[in-house]
């Protein structure tokens, strides 16, 4: 049940949570009437929340169908991963890391390595990247990153369930942490961009098979 304050934002957060836990899938139409019943709120804040998600390119509006989770597309994947890589590089180049930050990154990397299923692994990976960039004092950039990664979740859920693929990502994460611990931001930035491009290259291959 949703408390009736800031309804639009609460509905938006609820929908995002449903997406990143794999309960909403690509191609699925979001039923406003069903959501209204399930959440016990009027259709108006639901429509406002969906419009926000559309503006963030997480969902799309289709005439005579309403709002849907858009199907996956090579060009969109290239745009998404390129933009996220560049924003994250900008974020770490403008952040300060202390010993506690390094410990948190190492702990999260262990969570990532020990994840038992695809959804948990993707969520652990996204949390690792959130920890990398959380020190960037630009709230707008961090919100944009958060929205972009919600859309990225659908690509990774569809394609990145190969253990050998994740082994490569594991190694890059470890190298990023080591570079940050050594205060070598240029190397960390390069490795970070390579990490996102590794994922993009894999997804491009899968989308064009």
């Amino acid at each position: 049940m949703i408390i009736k304050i800031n309804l639009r934002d609460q509905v938006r957060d609820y929908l995002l949570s449903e997406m990143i836990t794999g309960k909403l899938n690509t191609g699925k139409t979001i039923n406003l009437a069903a959501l209204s019943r399930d959440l016990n709120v009027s259709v108006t804040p639901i429509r406002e929340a969906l419009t926000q998600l559309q503006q963030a390119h997480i969902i799309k509006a289709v005439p005579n169908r309403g709002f849907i989770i858009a199907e996956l597309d090579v060009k969109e994947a290239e745009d998404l991963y390129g933009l996220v890589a560049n924003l994250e590089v900008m974020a770490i180049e403008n952040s300060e890391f202390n010993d506690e930050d390094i410990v948190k990154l190492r702990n999260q990397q262990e969570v990532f390595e020990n994840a038992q299923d695809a959804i948990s692994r993707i969520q652990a990976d996204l949390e690792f990247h959130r920890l990398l960039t959380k020190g960037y004092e630009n709230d707008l950039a961090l919100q944009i990153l958060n929205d972009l990664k919600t859309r990225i979740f659908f690509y990774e859920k569809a394609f990145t369930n190969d253990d050998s693929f994740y082994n490569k990502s594991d190694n890059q994460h470890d190298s990023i942490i080591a570079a940050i611990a050594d205060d070598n931001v240029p190397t960390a930035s390069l490795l970070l961009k390579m990490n996102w491009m590794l994922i993009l290259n894999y997804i491009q291959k899968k989308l064009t098979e």
Side-chain angles (χ1 to χ4, degrees), residues 42-67:
S42 71
V43 171
T44 299
I46 294 173
R47 187 175 287 110
E48 290 173 350
L50 290 170
T51 299
Q52 276 196 340
L53 294 173
Q54 179 196 5
Q55 291 169 346
H57 299 282
I58 297 170
I59 62 175
K60 66 186 293 187
V62 177
N64 301 319
R65 285 191 63 188
F67 294 95

Side-chain angles (χ1 to χ4, degrees), residues 165-202:
F165 167 81
Y166 273 104
N167 290 336
K168 295 177 184 176
S169 192
D170 282 348
N171 294 336
Q172 288 181 330
H173 283 188
D174 289 331
S175 298
I176 290 167
I177 296 170
I180 290 172
D182 289 341
D183 198 26
N184 189 343
V185 174
T187 296
S189 296
L190 177 62
L191 290 165
L192 179 57
K193 191 157 190 175
M194 287 172 59
N195 183 237
W196 282 113
M197 292 305 100
L198 170 73
I199 303 170
L200 173 59
N201 290 340
Y202 184 83

Side-chain angles (χ1 to χ4, degrees), residues 70-95:
E71 297 289 351
L72 307 181
D73 174 80
V74 173
K75 178 62 167 63
E76 184 193 42
E78 291 168 352
D79 291 345
L80 277 171
Y81 281 88
L83 183 53
V84 166
N86 288 330
L87 284 173
E88 284 204 350
V89 166
M90 181 171 63
I92 68 169
E93 287 177 347
N94 289 277
S95 299

